[in-house]
Amino acid sequence: MIAVFPASLAEMVKLVGKADEIIGVNEEIRLDPCLPELRDKPVIGRYLKRSKKTYWNVLERVRPKLILDFRVENLHSSKELEAFAGKIGARVELFDFETVEGLVEASKRVAELTGGDFSRFGDFYGRHLTEISEIAEGIEETPKVVLTYRNFNVVTKTNVISDAIRKAKAINLGDRIKTKRKVYPVRKDSFFRVFSDAEHIFLLTSVLTSEEKMKAIKDEILDSRKWRTIKAVDLGNVHIIGSTLDLNSFMRWSPRLIPGIYQLGRFIHGKAFPRWEKTAKELYSLCGV
């Protein structure tokens, strides 16, 4: 029996055919349309609100044999989780990957741990990564882009989304920030200085920041004289892109990142990349959605 904290890992478990073995979930999974069968499972943690919490008593009650989480200090530290797992005799597997290839390996590892079937899932990855590579080889330009969540939280080099940008034949200016953190807060005055040469700015939605809020931020940016000191704003290249849990969001540490690469490529290079909806539909059909 499996307890899963991130929705992204729960999607992987489902894609290898083992969703029926999940007995505990994070609160955010209830918002994921790919995982309707998990909405009534016991909630083992939450971080949808500002106050984050792990429900250790629920974990102890359901007593999973396997606990899956990212190696990110969020609800709890990895040491806390491993100590708890030792107490109930469970195995803990913590995932961290900085490349799309690492995402593929993590998916394969989920299949190994759960006794699932990786074959159709692996075929999906292989075909699309080959196609993306072939498209990128035919593009000469590598525009400079920056991705940011609300309040100038910038996607850095250690975030797998940065590799998705590279695969979409672009340069992530967030790589300039020297940090091990996946997302790094940048002061507004520093943002103007460090990213003035950005040719595209992507505003990321999240479970805490809706598309409506991002639209207001986008309008404010485009109407600001100061913001036009950044090349992307002067060109009108400010885009809203999803990293929340609805079916139109692909900037996540999950298989959704594959259609996400097509989406990034389409925004950056236009028709050189095909639209992403067909690939998303294929992935969601594997999920039974």
Side-chain angles (χ1 to χ4, degrees), residues 135-206:
I135 293 169
E137 285 177 7
I139 298 172
E140 292 184 5
E141 300 83 5
T142 52
K144 299 172 183 177
V145 309
V146 60
L147 281 79
T148 181
Y149 295 90
R150 190 179 185 188
N151 296 329
F152 309 101
N153 291 287
V154 174
V155 171
T156 70
K157 185 176 183 178
T158 60
N159 191 322
V160 65
I161 295 173
S162 184
D163 189 50
I165 296 168
R166 288 189 286 272
K167 286 182 167 50
K169 201 61 181 290
I171 298 168
N172 178 26
L173 296 187
D175 291 0
R176 292 173 175 172
I177 302 172
K178 306 304 179 185
T179 180
K180 293 182 179 180
R181 294 171 65 173
K182 309 292 186 183
V183 178
Y184 192 83
V186 177
R187 290 176 53 184
K188 191 173 182 178
D189 56 343
S190 298
F191 191 95
F192 290 126
R193 184 179 67 255
V194 175
F195 304 122
S196 62
D197 56 337
E199 295 164 82
H200 292 266
I201 294 176
F202 288 92
L203 305 175
L204 290 154
T205 66
S206 72

Side-chain angles (χ1 to χ4, degrees), residues 3 5 56 59-60 63-68 77-94:
F5 281 97
W56 301 109
L59 265 176
E60 189 162 14
R63 301 188 77 82
K65 297 297 183 185
L66 174 65
I67 301 173
L68 305 180
S77 71
S78 56
K79 288 183 179 179
E80 280 182 296
L81 188 58
E82 288 167 344
F84 175 83
K87 176 181 166 184
I88 65 168
R91 176 173 186 164
V92 172
E93 192 80 10
L94 300 175

Side-chain angles (χ1 to χ4, degrees), residues 27 46-52 208:
E27 184 184 32
R46 79 167 187 207
Y47 53 78
L48 291 177
K49 300 178 181 178
R50 298 296 176 186
S51 58
K52 303 172 183 181
L208 295 174

Side-chain angles (χ1 to χ4, degrees), residues 11-17 34 37 118-125 127-128 255 279-289:
E11 287 179 6
M12 293 182 196
V13 174
K14 182 172 183 178
L15 283 162
V16 300
C34 293
E37 66 272 54
F118 182 69
S119 57
R120 286 199 307 157
F121 195 8
D123 177 68
F124 170 84
Y125 276 134
R127 283 187 293 103
H128 286 292
T279 306
K281 185 176 180 181
E282 180 188 355
L283 174 63
Y284 292 146
S285 70
L286 291 175
C287 280
V289 176

Side-chain angles (χ1 to χ4, degrees), residues 254-268:
S254 83
R256 293 179 186 228
L257 202 53
I258 300 301
I261 298 171
Y262 288 102
Q263 187 180 49
L264 286 168
R266 186 78 175 191
F267 274 121
I268 297 166

Side-chain angles (χ1 to χ4, degrees), residues 10 13-23 35 37-38 41:
V13 174
K14 182 172 183 178
L15 283 162
V16 300
K18 292 295 180 177
D20 59 339
E21 294 190 17
I22 296 177
I23 57 172
L35 304 168
E37 66 272 54
L38 301 182
K41 298 292 184 180

